[in-house]
Amino acid sequence: KTGTRYAVINLIGISFMKAGNSCPFKASDELIRRIPDSVKIRVLDFHAEATSEKQALGHYLSERISLFYGTHTHTPTADDRIFKNHTGFATDVGMTGAYDSVIGIKKEASIARFIGTGKSKFEPARNDPWLCALIADVDKDTGQCKTLERLRLKLSDFDDKTQS
């Protein structure tokens, strides 16, 4: 709407993920090379299992992207920060979904699978919905992330306010 150009990259990890995924380090180099220099705001969503892989790639891309955040583990990490005064970073944003669950799945079914008594199909949980996100203030001229704020909203937060 404002005419500000930006690029969004989504990569998938290799550690503890499906065999045959491409190396995210090499893939990110290639994709960033394709982004015109005039596009300063660059966001990377990294869908990966291992926190170490997410942190390593975040450091690797520091100063080449504006914002890096991990997804997939469904649990928000408490390590949001700005690398080298440029790249906003969080190992995992967390999920939007039911937190009275095991990563969004009905907890009883998940527990049953772990203890060997459950074979049923996983079903999404519905209790205690939350929205997890990051809010980043990125300079449109330099691509530098100026501030990074974690957002965690529970539906119950809104219910309490509407009832008072």
Side-chain angles (χ1 to χ4, degrees), residues 76 95-100 126-133 150-162:
M95 69 175 184
T96 296
Y99 266 71
D100 184 18
R126 305 249 184 256
N127 296 331
D128 191 26
W130 291 24
L131 170 99
C132 293
R150 183 167 295 279
L151 183 65
R152 289 178 35 182
L153 300 173
K154 301 178 202 176
L155 184 59
S156 61
D157 293 340
F158 295 99
D159 291 343
D160 293 343
K161 289 176 183 152
T162 58

Side-chain angles (χ1 to χ4, degrees), residues 85-96:
N85 204 29
H86 186 88
T87 301
F89 174 86
T91 299
D92 203 288
V93 169
M95 69 175 184
T96 296

Side-chain angles (χ1 to χ4, degrees), residues 47-51 54 70-77 91-92 94 103:
H47 192 78
E49 185 71 34
T51 55
K54 293 175 189 181
T71 58
H72 181 64
T73 57
H74 299 233
T75 303
T77 54
T91 299
D92 203 288
I103 66 168

Side-chain angles (χ1 to χ4, degrees), residues 5 16 24 26 35-36 55 58 69 79 83 86 93 106-108 113 115 125 128-129 137 143 155:
R5 297 176 69 203
F16 310 113
K26 292 176 185 173
I35 300 170
Q55 291 173 3
Y69 60 88
D79 65 340
F83 289 153
H86 186 88
V93 169
K106 287 185 177 180
K107 58 190 173 199
E108 298 79 9
R113 278 239 183 130
I115 62 175
D128 191 26
D137 178 16
L155 184 59

